[in-house]
Amino acid sequence: MIFYKVLLFWYRNPSFSYITIGKYGGDFLSLADLGLNQKAVVKKICADGMISRRFQDIGLIPGCVVICVLISPLKDPKAFNINGTILAIRNIDAKNVEVEKI
Amino acid sequence: MKKICAVLIGNPNVGKSTLFNALTGLKQHTGNWTGKTVENAIGYCEYQDCQIEFIDLPGTYSLQAYSYEEQVATDYILKRKYDIAVVVCDSVCLAKSLPLVLQTLEITDKVIVCLNLIDEASKKGIIIDSYHLSEELDVPIIVTDARNKVGLQKLLEQIIHFKTGSSYLVKYDEVIEKKLTNKNRLERYEALQILEKNDEQLKNKIVNQLVNKSNRLFSKYVKFTNEAYDAKDRKIDKILTSKLTGIPVMLLLLFAILWLTIIGSNYPSAWLFQFFGGVQKFLSSCFHFLCFPEFLHDFLILGVFKTLFWVVSVMLPPMLIFFPLFTILEDYGFLPRIAFNVDHLFSKCNACGKQCLTMLMGFGCNAVGVTGTRIIDSKRERLLAILTNVFVPCNGRFPTIIAVISIFFIGTVSSIFYSVLSAFILTLVLLSGILMTFFVSKILSKTILKGYSSGFILELPPYRRPKFKEVLIRSLVDRTLFILGKAVMVAIPAGAILYLFSHIMIGDVSILQRFANLFQGVGTFIGLDGMILVAFLLGFPANEIVIPILLMGYLATGSLVDYESIYELKSIFVSNGWTLLTGINFLILTLFHFPCSTTFLTIKKETGSWKWSVFALVLPTLIGIFLCICTTFLWHLFL
């Protein structure tokens, strides 16, 4: 049964790879790990100081839904659709945002 | 007459400046990217015997100061006196604007909400129930489309007849509300600020509740009839920023613009030369007819008029083509995509990706680019952007570079192939300036400006179709004529002084020549000559006059050549010992030398320190001289 679920998961998220989890630091799935067109909901923001303030300003708070819409030719930064606004965030900052895929 | 003061506040890039211009008839520069306005602009408007003073604040995401420009906006809303705060919102992304509306309502009750860009929203199938939103927030909501001047009357009407303030306040949860017993709105706000300052967790709670509240309002009153409303934008984004096509498309576009500029400016430039040549002959004969003394004739015609004539004929055509093209890209929303594509390179240099935007502004004028660095939050990164801005050739140097490339590397044959080749060389020159920017940023951030890049968030705005008529008028009037005017103001006195310098003899050598002789040794060592160095030094007030100074210096002793096109320059240069090496080194030094006086003063103003300003003078000059020595050395080694 578990095997089937994993298979189903792989089937639904072909670009998903476990290697990418925590690639940029923390041991959780972060905003920086999202692939193109993947949708996720923000769980927790671990950043502090200026950048966390900035995240709040642009509406990136727990519970908000983000979609990764663009990846720069050099892989970093990535652009996310946050409440209808397209915002580019560097991976080093995005790795502080814990997300859950939906 | 009744006087009313209204401030325009809003997120970046929601069209505040467009609205401001439409209301006041002023011409604040607008563009489709974040951070266009960095300082307050004030304008007036008269309506039904009221004089309304409008203040256009820099865009801000929230009223918690973060960067310099946001500080300006926050300070104004909190501390200054005004009658009404007009919160300008982007109807397409209302979710982004609503928190600011709520925050402003916490500070003042005299709020009018203006839903701008409503045309775009309706085109994208976004329906906003402004009537009920207005009822819930207890504020008047005006729907406008500032670009097409729709709804402005209603807004003015509302401002004049504004009576009762809003009674709406954001309600926080009980824990927080208990601590906010103050009745007065401003006191309540201050209490909130103190709470936020003292407790990081509480602060997050407060902000989250505010954003949640605005999200609830958003989902209640905004309906999307077309879920894929931004599909077209994303498709264009895919082309402009994808791994495969992003960077090639960007380079091709740069190349195309430069090519159009070169090929397009050839003909008008030739016409202007002919026209001014005719005018000069006419003026000459007038002077002779009126029996002016020969000295005065030479001074006015060969000194002042010729310098002026050169500056106008060489500078005007490229600007006429380059600026409109650039403005179209700017209005369309292309600049932030460029910043997005290359941000990683800046990140590698521990610099801010927004530096790319200030570099692009530097194409117009380095002083503007330096002021534009205010969009960068961190002081260290701002300094990097200021110090390296001069590596982008401004339009004072741009025509000089084009002229030298076309006369030295291409020759007089004008065909498609040659124009493509010269555009290619120009692209290489620009790219080398950009490479130098990265290189210097990297070195600086490893040595005297140590540190890591701070948080970087860049908004990629929706594409907006540029209004071609306005683009033409704006780039022509605001930029071209303004910059040309400044150049002319420098060229007239400079022409006069230079003429005197090159004709007053000490012994049997002119002052200019004496100067040149002083620098001759250094000049030859770095593969140039003394006169070129003098030209660069005397060109400190404005880079445009470097070539006129050179001509004046070279031609002073010999008989004057009546040049009808810039190609005749080549024979003048060659007869003064220019080789291909001189041409290359001249290009290098044009690209890498001290900024002009205006830029220097702007750097002083922005950094507030003489140390950094002088450093900004010395650094590019040293780089230029070093590169010239290298090329000269290699040249002599191999040839």
Side-chain angles (χ1 to χ4, degrees):
Chain A
M1 193 61 195
I2 291 170
F3 181 70
Y4 168 74
K5 269 188 179 169
V6 169
L7 262 186
L8 198 70
F9 186 81
W10 273 83
Y11 177 71
R12 283 185 184 153
N13 306 283
S15 57
F16 184 85
S17 149
Y18 286 99
I19 302 162
T20 60
I21 296 185
K23 185 175 160 191
Y24 294 102
D27 51 356
F28 49 77
L29 186 74
S30 80
L31 201 55
D33 300 322
L34 286 187
L36 202 57
N37 295 328
Q38 280 178 343
K39 210 171 174 180
V41 61
V42 175
K43 280 174 72 186
K44 204 174 144 198
I45 291 164
C46 317
D48 51 347
M50 294 227 289
I51 191 68
S52 104
R53 180 71 243 178
R54 244 317 177 243
F55 282 155
Q56 286 165 345
D57 286 346
I58 59 172
L60 193 73
I61 56 167
C64 111
V65 174
V66 292
I67 310 166
C68 175
V69 287
L70 288 174
I71 296 176
S72 157
L74 303 166
K75 297 263 164 65
D76 181 27
K78 289 175 180 171
F80 303 93
N81 184 338
I82 300 166
N83 289 328
T85 315
I86 311 299
L87 293 154
I89 303 175
R90 280 186 183 166
N91 286 341
I92 190 160
D93 300 320
K95 76 176 185 194
N96 294 316
V97 180
E98 186 176 348
V99 296
E100 190 176 24
K101 278 193 199 158
I102 48 173
Chain B
M1 200 188 260
K2 211 171 119 192
K3 278 189 180 171
I4 300 173
C5 172
V7 283
L8 299 179
I9 181 170
N11 292 148
N13 200 30
V14 293
K16 281 186 305 301
S17 295
T18 315
L19 183 69
F20 176 80
N21 289 348
L23 286 168
T24 61
L26 282 181
K27 289 182 193 77
Q28 266 277 81
H29 192 79
T30 57
N32 187 8
W33 50 287
T34 297
K36 199 67 236 204
T37 311
V38 285
E39 238 168 23
N40 299 340
I42 300 173
Y44 297 91
C45 164
E46 275 179 26
Y47 187 75
Q48 291 183 357
D49 359 306
C50 277
Q51 194 192 33
I52 311 171
E53 181 187 12
F54 281 103
I55 294 141
D56 183 21
L57 298 180
T60 175
Y61 282 106
S62 76
L63 292 175
Q64 248 100 27
Y66 186 83
S67 70
Y68 177 86
E69 15 146 16
E70 298 193 343
Q71 183 76 47
V72 172
T74 311
D75 279 357
Y76 206 101
I77 288 292
L78 264 177
K79 293 172 188 157
R80 301 284 197 91
K81 267 195 181 156
Y82 51 89
D83 297 304
I84 288 155
V86 180
V87 185
V88 187
C89 300
D90 180 355
S91 307
V92 183
C93 312
L94 198 58
K96 178 182 78 174
S97 300
L98 274 175
L100 190 69
V101 174
L102 298 183
Q103 272 192 324
T104 315
L105 274 169
E106 284 188 325
I107 297 174
T108 172
D109 57 349
K110 290 170 288 189
V111 171
I112 294 178
V113 173
C114 167
L115 295 182
N116 198 21
L117 301 168
I118 196 71
D119 55 324
E120 271 181 43
S122 55
K123 221 180 273 169
K124 288 176 175 169
I126 300 167
I127 297 166
I128 302 167
D129 183 1
S130 59
Y131 179 77
H132 287 105
L133 182 63
S134 158
E135 259 183 3
E136 174 154 358
L137 291 179
D138 195 19
V139 293
I141 293 185
I142 313 292
V143 171
T144 62
D145 168 12
R147 291 214 303 168
N148 298 313
K149 301 195 165 55
V150 176
L152 302 182
Q153 291 269 334
K154 274 188 193 162
L155 181 64
L156 289 173
E157 198 86 29
Q158 196 58 249
I159 291 174
I160 288 174
H161 300 299
F162 192 84
K163 286 203 180 73
T164 47
S166 165
S167 59
Y168 182 86
L169 266 179
V170 182
K171 291 271 177 295
Y172 295 100
D173 67 9
E174 280 171 23
V175 189
I176 299 167
E177 281 298 334
K178 239 183 232 168
K179 295 177 183 167
L180 300 173
T181 44
N182 314 50
K183 291 256 165 59
N184 185 318
R185 207 170 269 258
L186 205 58
E187 280 172 28
R188 184 184 147 98
Y189 177 76
E190 273 159 12
L192 259 177
Q193 287 292 301
I194 292 167
L195 280 183
E196 288 193 6
K197 224 178 225 164
N198 294 341
D199 189 344
E200 185 77 20
Q201 259 193 329
L202 206 60
K203 177 179 148 188
N204 285 344
K205 234 177 170 180
I206 291 172
V207 177
N208 288 353
Q209 281 174 23
L210 188 98
V211 177
N212 272 332
K213 179 74 206 169
S214 87
N215 283 353
R216 234 171 296 145
L217 285 173
F218 177 75
S219 46
K220 201 163 154 195
Y221 296 116
V222 181
K223 297 271 173 300
F224 293 93
T225 53
N226 177 12
E227 279 298 329
Y229 67 93
D230 61 351
K232 203 175 141 205
D233 277 7
R234 294 293 80 74
K235 250 185 214 158
I236 302 172
D237 270 341
K238 285 268 145 68
I239 298 169
L240 290 181
T241 65
S242 84
K243 195 176 162 189
L244 203 67
T245 54
I247 287 176
V249 165
M250 212 172 68
L251 287 177
L252 261 179
L253 216 65
L254 175 71
F255 175 77
I257 285 183
L258 295 178
W259 180 65
L260 281 175
T261 307
I262 287 179
I263 198 164
S265 57
N266 262 342
Y267 300 100
S269 194
W271 297 333
L272 280 173
F273 266 102
Q274 262 171 7
F275 170 72
F276 278 116
V279 171
Q280 187 187 341
K281 277 193 190 118
F282 174 71
L283 282 178
S284 263
S285 54
C286 275
F287 274 48
H288 283 304
F289 182 71
L290 293 171
C291 299
F292 267 58
E294 192 66 19
F295 160 74
L296 203 63
H297 163 264
D298 284 358
F299 174 69
L300 286 177
I301 300 287
L302 302 180
V304 178
F305 185 76
K306 268 215 159 148
T307 315
L308 189 68
F309 150 10
W310 165 269
V311 168
V312 174
S313 346
V314 169
M315 280 190 63
L316 188 60
M319 282 201 293
L320 275 184
I321 297 165
F322 180 75
F323 276 148
L325 288 175
F326 188 75
T327 315
I328 286 174
L329 284 188
E330 188 181 351
D331 281 18
Y332 190 58
F334 190 63
L335 304 196
R337 268 77 186 182
I338 298 180
F340 178 68
N341 278 345
V342 298
D343 172 67
H344 190 59
L345 300 174
F346 286 103
S347 146
K348 284 255 155 130
C349 305
N350 295 336
C352 179
K354 288 181 194 162
Q355 190 175 334
C356 178
L357 295 174
T358 65
M359 279 165 70
L360 289 166
M361 277 197 267
F363 269 120
C365 169
N366 288 132
V368 174
V370 169
T371 315
T373 57
R374 290 181 187 180
I375 56 172
I376 297 170
D377 305 326
S378 130
K379 208 172 167 217
R380 186 189 70 83
E381 287 161 14
R382 233 187 108 195
L383 211 47
L384 277 180
I386 289 175
L387 291 176
T388 53
N389 195 274
V390 74
F391 295 134
V392 181
C394 66
N395 62 67
R397 292 179 279 160
F398 201 55
T400 309
I401 295 176
I402 295 181
V404 170
I405 287 178
S406 39
I407 61 174
F408 250 87
F409 297 92
I410 308 304
T412 51
V413 196
S414 59
S415 70
I416 297 288
F417 173 72
Y418 284 112
S419 64
V420 168
L421 191 62
S422 57
F424 182 69
I425 297 176
L426 186 58
T427 314
L428 285 184
V429 171
L430 293 190
L431 286 181
S432 67
I434 293 164
L435 263 181
M436 187 54 78
T437 304
F438 286 127
F439 182 69
V440 171
S441 300
K442 178 100 192 165
I443 300 270
L444 286 180
S445 64
K446 286 270 181 255
T447 52
I448 46 177
L449 283 170
K450 258 185 201 155
Y452 293 99
S453 44
S454 65
F456 161 81
I457 293 171
L458 178 78
E459 187 181 337
L460 303 178
Y463 293 103
R464 287 176 193 152
R465 186 191 294 266
K467 302 199 105 185
F468 288 94
K469 201 180 117 208
E470 270 171 31
V471 163
L472 268 182
I473 292 172
R474 225 177 54 213
S475 51
L476 203 71
V477 177
D478 295 0
R479 288 186 167 178
T480 313
L481 287 188
F482 174 72
I483 291 173
L484 193 70
K486 256 186 9 190
V488 165
M489 291 311 286
V490 176
I492 292 175
I497 292 167
L498 281 169
Y499 184 80
L500 293 179
F501 269 24
S502 59
H503 280 79
I504 295 174
M505 299 289 178
I506 300 175
D508 52 353
V509 186
S510 68
I511 299 180
L512 198 62
Q513 194 60 48
R514 271 190 190 272
F515 263 128
N517 291 345
L518 253 173
F519 288 100
Q520 188 64 36
V522 188
T524 343
F525 179 65
I526 64 173
L528 294 164
D529 66 27
M531 196 56 87
I532 298 174
L533 293 188
V534 170
F536 274 112
L537 284 174
L538 292 181
F540 182 58
N543 285 305
E544 295 85 356
I545 58 170
V546 167
I547 288 198
I549 297 171
L550 262 181
L551 287 181
M552 201 81 79
Y554 284 156
L555 297 179
T557 44
S559 58
L560 270 168
V561 183
D562 266 322
Y563 40 88
E564 246 130 44
S565 81
I566 55 169
Y567 297 119
E568 284 172 40
L569 273 178
K570 186 170 182 177
S571 57
I572 300 171
F573 284 164
V574 169
S575 67
N576 278 282
W578 277 47
T579 57
L580 189 60
L581 173 71
T582 328
I584 294 172
N585 282 350
F586 185 79
L587 281 185
I588 292 176
L589 211 60
T590 309
L591 197 57
F592 306 116
H593 74 286
F594 43 83
C596 72
S597 56
T598 319
T599 311
F600 174 70
L601 291 176
T602 314
I603 293 175
K604 167 71 189 57
K605 192 179 147 219
E606 292 299 317
T607 57
S609 111
W610 283 110
K611 199 184 83 189
W612 285 117
S613 319
V614 171
F615 186 68
L617 283 184
V618 174
L619 177 76
T621 316
L622 283 183
I623 291 173
I625 290 175
F626 175 74
L627 286 178
C628 282
I629 292 174
C630 289
T631 49
T632 313
F633 179 71
L634 288 175
W635 183 271
H636 291 311
L637 201 65
F638 292 111
L639 293 169

